[in-house]
Amino acid sequence: MKWLREVYDLFVDDPKLAVLSLVALAIAFLIAKAGAKSAAGLAIFLVVAGSLWYSTRHD
């Protein structure tokens, strides 16, 4: 669970980003279970990148 704490520490200044990153992981997990592992990686990238973009544009 140390890795989870490190990921959370990246987003600790903005709790919305931490929650959105966990949502991205959940979405990617569901996509990966469906068999589309490349799409799962893309989903993580898009959700986290979009969240960071939104956070920096609206602060």
Side-chain angles (χ1 to χ4, degrees):
M1 293 308 246
K2 183 179 177 183
W3 66 270
L4 185 59
R5 180 68 182 165
E6 289 177 11
V7 169
Y8 182 78
D9 285 344
L10 291 172
F11 296 95
V12 76
D13 290 336
D14 192 350
K16 288 187 287 187
L17 287 178
V19 171
L20 287 172
S21 67
L22 293 176
V23 168
L25 288 174
I27 291 169
F29 175 76
L30 294 174
I31 293 171
K33 280 293 191 182
K37 292 180 180 160
S38 295
L42 181 62
I44 290 174
F45 174 77
L46 291 176
V47 173
V48 171
S51 300
L52 288 169
W53 178 80
Y54 180 80
S55 177
T56 57
R57 292 290 176 189
H58 287 87
D59 281 345

